[in-house]
């Protein structure tokens, strides 16, 4: 093909662990990346971003194209949303300020149907996509991100002006391609809803139990009782997915269980939110799947019990 394809302008909305890691990797690979920050703006503007990665080594990004307001950002072709789902209601005006016409908005968030609530608040001219991050990463401090393992991000189309399959896949492939160009494993997802249910097979047990039991993955996997509880919760997620018409490959839950056994000790994002007295992402990760499964005639009593317990903890904590 003649001539190089122009690299997109990429905006990061929410430069925490996820936004900081993927945005930092893209910037390091030479992409034009613009970071929107809240509380950490001055720290990052002064000292840059530091990625300490067990996979990619230590990467220092300085200077950083950092902004404290979306109004100051250039129009972005792609917006990667790393903010927590607890902020989704206030995200729409921020996205509108930073988005170029026909921009692609990629939600790098956990939970079910997170795209639905946000796409309702955005104009039909914007493409909304979902991104599933399989990664062990956390914020060590302002502008300092520790990446322990994994890193894959899978991309699927949710809604927007691309109506037919080929047009949607072309946009998904564009996202997959720039992640791969930055050394990040990435794959297109044909069915975003199904993929989100599959990711919940891990998120529902490990996020919640880390808070409820005050334990990281190593401790949870080392105890016979917590192991049984994880397996039972995983089985319920699979049951919910199937009730909602989504296929989950046989042995999928067991595969995630085995992968977690080999991981370095990891404290999921919900534990970090609990620790820093931030609201827990209970609506997207628990309430929504429970409601959708119930509407399909499927009760998930263990997940329900975990959700009620976490709701109590969350209210006392914040």
């Amino acid at each position: 093909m003649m001539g190089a394809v122009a690299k997109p302008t990429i905006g990061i909305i929410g430069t925490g662990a996820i936004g900081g890691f993927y945005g930092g990797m893209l910037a390091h690979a030479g992409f034009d990346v613009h970071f929107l920050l809240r509380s950490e703006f001055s720290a990052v503007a002064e000292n840059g971003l530091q990625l300490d990665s067990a996979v990619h080594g230590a990467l220092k990004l300085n200077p950083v194209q950092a902004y404290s307001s979306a109004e100051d950002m250039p129009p972005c072709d792609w917006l990667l949303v790393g903010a927590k789902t607890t902020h989704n209601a206030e995200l729409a005006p921020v996205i509108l300020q930073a988005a170029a016409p026909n921009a692609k908005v990629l939600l790098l968030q956990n939970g079910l149907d997170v795209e639905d609530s946000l796409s309702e608040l955005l104009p039909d001219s914007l493409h909304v996509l979902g991104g599933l991050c399989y990664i062990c990463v956390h914020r060590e401090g302002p502008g300092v991100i520790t990446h322990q393992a994994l890193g894959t991000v899978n991309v699927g189309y949710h809604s927007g002006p691309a109506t037919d399959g080929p047009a949607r896949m072309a946009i998904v492939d564009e996202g997959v391609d720039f992640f791969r160009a930055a050394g990040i494993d990435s794959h297109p997802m044909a069915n975003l809803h199904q993929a989100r249910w599959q990711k919940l097979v891990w998120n529902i047990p490990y996020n919640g139990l880390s808070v409820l039991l005050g334990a990281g993955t190593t401790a949870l996997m080392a105890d016979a009782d917590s192991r049984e509880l994880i397996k039972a919760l995983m089985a319920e997620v699979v049951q919910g997915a199937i009730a909602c018409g989504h296929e989950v490959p046989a042995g999928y839950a067991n595969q995630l269980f085995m992968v977690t056994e080999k991981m370095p000790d990891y404290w999921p994002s919900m534990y970090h939110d609990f620790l820093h007295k931030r609201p827990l992402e209970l609506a997207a990760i628990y309430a929504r799947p429970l409601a959708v499964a119930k509407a399909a005639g499927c009760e998930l009593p263990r997940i329900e019990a975990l959700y009620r317990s976490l709701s109590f903890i969350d209210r006392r904590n914040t």
Side-chain angles (χ1 to χ4, degrees), residues 126-145:
L126 296 182
H127 303 271
V128 177
L129 297 97
L132 299 190
C133 308
Y134 295 86
I135 187 167
C136 297
V137 67
H138 65 275
R139 255 180 74 263
E140 203 67 64
V144 182
I145 292 152

Side-chain angles (χ1 to χ4, degrees), residues 23-99:
M25 288 293 291
L26 288 162
H28 185 256
F31 285 88
D32 181 23
V33 186
H34 302 263
F35 297 85
L36 181 66
L37 296 118
R38 285 174 146 183
S39 54
E40 299 188 4
F41 169 73
S42 52
V44 172
E46 280 171 43
N47 309 315
L49 265 181
Q50 175 71 42
L51 300 187
D52 294 316
S53 171
V55 181
H56 306 283
L59 308 178
K60 178 80 174 168
L61 201 63
N62 199 11
V64 172
Q65 300 188 106
Y67 306 82
S68 58
S69 166
E71 294 167 318
D72 303 329
M73 295 174 77
C76 296
D77 306 310
W78 279 83
L79 287 170
L80 275 47
V81 179
K84 297 277 177 182
T85 54
T86 46
H87 294 302
N88 275 10
E90 53 211 78
L91 278 178
V94 174
I95 287 168
L96 285 172
Q97 283 177 325

Side-chain angles (χ1 to χ4, degrees), residues 46-222:
E46 280 171 43
N47 309 315
L49 265 181
Q50 175 71 42
L51 300 187
D52 294 316
S53 171
V55 181
H56 306 283
L59 308 178
K60 178 80 174 168
L61 201 63
N62 199 11
V64 172
Q65 300 188 106
Y67 306 82
S68 58
S69 166
E71 294 167 318
D72 303 329
M73 295 174 77
C76 296
D77 306 310
W78 279 83
L79 287 170
L80 275 47
V81 179
K84 297 277 177 182
T85 54
T86 46
H87 294 302
N88 275 10
E90 53 211 78
L91 278 178
V94 174
I95 287 168
L96 285 172
Q97 283 177 325
N102 302 113
K104 293 93 177 174
V105 181
L106 176 61
L107 299 191
L108 302 177
Q109 296 181 321
N110 281 324
L112 197 63
D113 298 338
V114 292
E115 297 85 5
D116 294 14
S117 47
L118 189 61
S119 63
E120 285 166 13
L121 305 171
L122 296 174
D124 297 338
S125 60
L126 296 182
H127 303 271
V128 177
L129 297 97
L132 299 190
C133 308
Y134 295 86
I135 187 167
C136 297
V137 67
H138 65 275
R139 255 180 74 263
E140 203 67 64
V144 182
I145 292 152
T146 300
H147 171 222
Q148 291 172 272
L150 311 175
T152 298
V153 56
N154 293 341
V155 181
Y157 195 92
H158 178 267
S159 56
T163 48
D164 63 23
R168 291 179 163 208
M169 279 320 284
I171 289 168
V172 168
D173 287 341
E174 190 189 330
V176 166
D177 287 348
F178 68 63
F179 282 122
R180 288 180 178 172
I184 295 160
D185 186 39
S186 184
H187 306 275
M189 297 182 293
N191 186 331
L192 183 57
H193 274 284
Q194 181 173 315
R196 284 207 168 276
W197 266 108
Q198 289 183 9
K199 183 133 196 288
L200 288 170
V201 175
W202 196 93
N203 281 127
I204 281 178
Y206 291 102
N207 270 284
L209 291 178
S210 72
V211 173
L212 194 64
L213 303 178
T217 54
T218 299
L220 290 172
M221 296 305 281

